[in-house]
Amino acid sequence: MRWRVVKAVARQCFLEFWRSPQAVFWTYGFPIMMAVVLGFAFQSGQAEPVTIGVVDNKVTRANLAKLEDEPLLVVDWLSPADADRALGRGRVALTVRWSARDDREVLRSDPSRPEAMLARLLVERRLRQASGGEVAYVPPAHEVEDRPGSRYIDFLIPGLIGLNLLGAGMWGVGFNLVQMRVGNLLRRIFVTPMKRSEFLAGYLLGRSVLVIPEAFVIMAFGVLLWGVPFRGSLLAALTLIVVGGWVFTAIGCLLACRARTTETIGGLMNAVQLPMWILGGTFFANEGLEGPMRWAAEVMPLTHVNRALRDVMLEPGTLLDVWVPVVALAVTGVACFSLAMRLFRWQ
Amino acid sequence: MNQAPAIELRALRKTYKKGRELVHAVNGLDLVVGRGEVFGLLGPNGAGKTTTVEICEGLTAPDAGEVRILGKEWGTGADDDIRARIGVCLQETKFQEHATVEEVLKLFRSCFDDGRTVDDALALVSLQEKRSARQKSLSGGQRQRLAVATALLGDPKLLFLDEPTTGLDPQSRRQLWQVVRDYQSQGGTVLLTTHYMDEAHQLCDRVAIVDRGEVIALGSPAELIRSLGAQHFVVVDLVDADAAPDDASFLSISDVSAVERRDARVECTVASVHTALPAVLEMLERRGVEIDGLSTRHATLEDVFVHLTGRHLREGGAA
């Protein structure tokens, strides 16, 4: 492999990115916008009240008006048909109706929805209190968790860095390679003495170099705007970003090694990225998953990039603390790159 | 020292599958291109020109036959050596949108251990003033000259140009022709495919007319035109197409060897204009046929091509 060729390809890849306003926006602007929006949306504070539907009649007006005293409940008084419709469309978390036959209230909800369980507990508590069943109950005091390092935004920022490495690495390499194939540029390069290893290594190097500033921009943004702590080693963070960028660019390269159209590569990218978006531990902790979902999450590179980044940012993690995921990710990248080299087609 | 020909193709075959049908793109093609020649491959779309060139460039593997490029064969460990000594300009290449002319050339130059400087390549195609221009600001002709410049960077011994002037304006075409002539004058060999017969006539030392994957005629443009047996045409435009005499009336004139008609136009193939023209005019006058226009022209490669790939030739199995 000739270094001057690798360097020339990497340089061109780098320049092509910086001169494309769309690429710069989607790589830098969009993740920062997402961090702002999600940061505001999940700021620490009072929990959002949950809306319930109560079937409106004389009995419920007399017996259930007290539910409106519960600050975490918003009560909608509805006809029976409207209550069913509202529950079906998710506008209310639970409905309450009076059963004359049973001479008691009937709650109806879908238990798989998290807010349904909260609504049920709140309604039951209020009804119990109203019937005098909790005379001796003194509710405990509650503190809002707003210490830096423990908030949702602290959890989110390392995840967004991981997600950005995933998107920029895979799309940046995969999509561009297929565009070059469609435009005959790969065929043109093939008939020169450039080796495929030189071309692919240069391309991956160009993209890997790009992901470092991308990741640090989001990190700096989180630290400066949201006060997200950075407690670990900068070297460990840098290593993780480089290795994370490497593994995702290598996956992008593998996916693009034979795709002939931009539609094909778009579909392949989405098929690989979407499960990682959902299960990769960016927006919620995936350690709570069980069974096959957990296994799937554990084999995803994004899971390990995110976890290790959180170890380094939110805890005083050093390179020694994250060497296992760093090595595993690097090896995965090498495996994907080697496979891409074998399968790669110029035309 | 005897040098091997620039290109040697023997019994070359390539078949593609198109749906359920097999298409014989190249069907037993033989060709030898000498060093220092500008050689043209002419033929209609689907004749097998591009497939033949792609086999020569190492982009496509033949199903059968021998291919020697500058005395070496693809797939025998000499691929890098061949690639270092050839220059290729594909039918269409989209370079990176935001790259400047100079950057594209630097990228391609990096592949070659030896070769021209970027400045030399820019000068060869007269693009010095566009050095810092990005792809999107280049005209079609400038893009094509850039593509040729990338092909010249390795100082190749053999240049492949696949329809290099398709879609270009006349001025851009002439500029590219000059690039080819300059390259040849420095000892280079060119294999050129083109739809344009005037381009082949202007540039090529020899041409091969290819049809259905075979060479059906080979020689210099002048030889091929001479092979028609007649090198001139008398073209008569009549006022009334219905009043035109029949073919036999034209063929009764000793110098006229063939007649072709399109609406009110009659085109006579003649051996000698100065004897045929008065005879044609005299015959028309005698029959009281009114003439709207009259012209003569030399035969071109276009006429050779039409003659060779026409229905009569194939029916006769003369290919």
Side-chain angles (χ1 to χ4, degrees):
Chain A
M1 206 185 296
R2 296 166 298 175
W3 173 239
R4 72 157 197 275
V5 186
V6 175
K7 210 168 61 176
V9 176
R11 181 176 180 275
Q12 207 46 51
C13 169
F14 185 84
L15 289 174
E16 193 65 17
F17 170 84
W18 277 112
R19 289 173 185 165
S20 165
Q22 296 95 329
V24 172
F25 169 76
W26 287 108
T27 309
Y28 288 98
F30 182 67
I32 289 174
M33 277 169 53
M34 204 150 85
V36 172
V37 171
L38 292 174
F40 275 117
F42 294 102
Q43 279 194 89
S44 297
Q46 198 60 255
E48 287 292 308
V50 57
T51 304
I52 63 167
V54 177
V55 176
D56 195 1
N57 60 35
K58 280 182 190 168
V59 182
T60 53
R61 281 284 177 183
N63 292 350
L64 299 176
K66 52 198 173 251
L67 291 177
E68 292 186 320
D69 298 338
E70 171 58 55
L72 284 175
L73 284 179
V74 173
V75 179
D76 260 3
W77 296 90
L78 302 167
S79 69
D82 285 347
D84 278 348
R85 198 174 301 124
L87 184 63
R89 299 294 293 269
R91 287 196 293 271
V92 297
L94 161 149
T95 58
V96 189
R97 72 173 193 277
W98 176 257
S99 168
R101 196 182 60 188
D102 298 336
D103 192 27
R104 60 174 178 170
E105 292 85 4
V106 178
L107 309 186
R108 187 174 181 82
S109 67
D110 176 357
S112 67
R113 293 175 54 190
E115 70 273 23
M117 188 54 70
L118 173 66
R120 183 180 158 185
L121 291 171
L122 289 168
V123 168
E124 285 180 356
R125 186 181 75 176
R126 181 54 64 174
L127 292 175
R128 207 160 46 238
Q129 283 171 348
S131 65
E134 288 191 7
V135 177
Y137 176 71
V138 179
H142 188 252
E143 292 174 344
V144 173
E145 175 56 281
D146 57 0
R147 291 168 295 182
S150 306
R151 303 161 303 171
Y152 183 68
I153 189 69
D154 303 320
F155 177 85
L156 188 63
I157 289 293
L160 285 182
I161 295 172
L163 204 61
N164 193 53
L165 291 174
L166 168 79
M170 285 180 63
W171 281 104
V173 167
F175 199 74
N176 284 351
L177 276 180
V178 175
Q179 267 190 327
M180 289 166 77
R181 186 176 286 127
V182 172
N184 268 345
L185 186 51
L186 291 187
R187 276 161 68 87
R188 178 65 190 86
I189 293 172
F190 174 69
V191 290
T192 69
M194 191 184 291
K195 296 178 175 64
R196 77 170 78 171
S197 58
E198 292 167 343
F199 174 74
L200 288 179
Y203 221 79
L204 261 63
L205 179 66
R207 285 307 302 187
S208 302
V209 168
L210 278 169
V211 300
I212 297 171
E214 286 166 17
F216 275 105
V217 165
I218 302 172
M219 192 181 282
F221 180 82
V223 171
L224 296 175
L225 185 69
W226 299 115
V228 176
F230 188 93
R231 294 171 175 148
S233 138
L234 200 60
L235 177 68
L238 181 68
T239 310
L240 269 167
I241 287 166
V242 170
V243 171
W246 155 252
V247 75
F248 293 125
T249 46
I251 293 173
C253 199
L254 178 59
L255 293 179
C257 66
R258 293 203 169 187
R260 287 180 181 175
T261 64
T262 47
E263 287 81 8
T264 306
I265 189 65
L268 282 171
M269 292 280 184
N270 284 329
V272 173
Q273 285 196 350
L274 197 63
M276 286 204 254
W277 267 73
I278 297 168
L279 299 176
T282 296
F283 299 103
F284 64 90
N286 55 11
E287 284 90 343
L289 296 170
E290 287 185 353
M293 299 282 260
R294 178 67 190 268
W295 306 337
E298 289 302 318
V299 297
M300 290 175 179
L302 185 61
T303 293
H304 301 284
V305 171
N306 285 346
R307 252 180 228 163
L309 278 170
R310 287 185 183 118
D311 287 347
V312 169
M313 286 184 71
L314 308 182
E315 294 176 32
T318 64
L319 207 49
L320 278 178
D321 296 311
V322 292
W323 75 269
V324 175
V326 164
V327 170
L329 288 166
V331 169
T332 306
V334 170
C336 290
F337 182 67
S338 308
L339 199 55
M341 280 267 294
R342 285 182 69 87
L343 299 176
F344 186 78
R345 278 192 186 157
W346 294 96
Q347 49 184 335
Chain B
M1 191 177 87
N2 275 341
Q3 278 190 317
I7 300 173
E8 279 181 275
L9 306 176
R10 305 269 178 225
L12 201 64
R13 285 183 192 279
K14 180 71 186 178
T15 304
Y16 290 112
K17 216 170 179 186
K18 195 174 180 183
R20 289 184 178 181
E21 272 182 57
L22 285 178
V23 178
H24 300 287
V26 182
N27 197 10
L29 187 139
D30 294 296
L31 203 62
V32 177
V33 178
R35 302 235 181 183
E37 267 193 302
V38 174
F39 191 95
L41 275 183
L42 309 187
N45 283 332
K49 306 186 300 289
T50 295
T51 306
T52 304
V53 170
E54 285 185 351
I55 289 170
C56 293
E57 293 165 346
L59 275 165
T60 302
D63 295 332
E66 289 176 29
V67 182
R68 279 196 194 82
I69 304 297
L70 301 167
K72 304 202 172 185
E73 289 179 55
W74 291 107
T76 58
D79 289 11
D80 283 345
D81 189 31
I82 299 175
R83 287 193 186 109
R85 295 165 68 201
I86 64 171
V88 174
C89 180
L90 302 175
Q91 253 181 42
E92 194 192 0
T93 305
K94 279 188 186 165
F95 296 111
Q96 288 180 301
E97 192 186 346
H98 300 286
T100 66
V101 166
E102 185 176 13
E103 286 163 359
V104 169
L105 291 173
K106 278 184 174 172
L107 176 68
F108 278 89
R109 178 63 185 87
S110 73
C111 319
F112 296 96
D113 293 330
D114 303 301
R116 295 176 207 275
T117 63
V118 167
D119 288 339
D120 283 349
L122 280 170
L124 278 172
V125 296
S126 307
L127 274 181
Q128 298 99 318
E129 285 174 13
K130 290 286 173 183
R131 175 189 286 270
S132 304
R134 296 190 189 175
Q135 296 304 300
K136 53 187 171 187
S137 68
L138 298 179
S139 68
Q142 288 164 342
R143 280 181 204 183
Q144 201 56 27
R145 274 187 282 153
L146 172 61
V148 174
T150 63
L152 294 172
L153 276 166
D155 195 11
K157 302 285 172 251
L158 171 61
L159 188 60
F160 294 97
L161 302 174
D162 195 0
E163 298 190 6
T165 62
T166 299
L168 298 189
D169 58 77
Q171 191 190 352
S172 299
R173 290 178 68 200
R174 277 193 292 274
Q175 282 173 328
L176 260 175
W177 291 355
Q178 194 53 49
V179 172
V180 174
R181 288 190 190 107
D182 291 346
Y183 171 73
Q184 187 190 21
S185 70
Q186 292 165 20
T189 308
V190 180
L191 179 63
L192 171 96
T193 73
T194 183
H195 285 307
Y196 301 121
M197 302 300 153
D198 60 330
E199 182 165 285
H201 204 152
Q202 288 281 335
L203 284 180
C204 298
D205 300 310
R206 285 196 305 146
V207 297
I209 294 181
V210 180
D211 193 39
R212 299 181 179 182
E214 294 173 78
V215 174
I216 57 173
L218 178 70
S220 70
E223 282 169 357
L224 289 178
I225 290 167
R226 270 200 303 275
S227 74
L228 279 176
Q231 295 175 54
H232 304 279
F233 294 88
V234 171
V235 184
V236 187
D237 289 309
L238 305 175
V239 173
D240 181 4
D242 295 334
D246 58 11
D247 287 358
S249 305
F250 287 99
L251 292 169
S252 64
I253 299 166
S254 60
D255 274 329
V256 175
S257 58
V259 180
E260 227 174 274
R261 294 163 184 270
R262 199 177 337 133
D263 301 326
R265 169 168 289 194
V266 181
E267 195 166 281
C268 301
T269 308
V270 301
S272 154
V273 174
H274 68 276
T275 54
L277 184 58
V280 170
L281 290 175
E282 195 266 328
M283 184 271 285
L284 291 172
E285 195 180 351
R286 204 171 55 235
R287 289 169 186 258
V289 179
E290 279 189 82
I291 296 172
D292 193 34
L294 178 69
S295 59
T296 63
R297 65 176 179 84
H298 283 284
T300 65
L301 278 175
E302 186 92 45
D303 300 306
V304 179
F305 177 72
V306 170
H307 177 68
L308 289 179
T309 59
R311 182 181 300 274
H312 299 297
L313 185 70
R314 284 190 192 131
E315 279 173 358

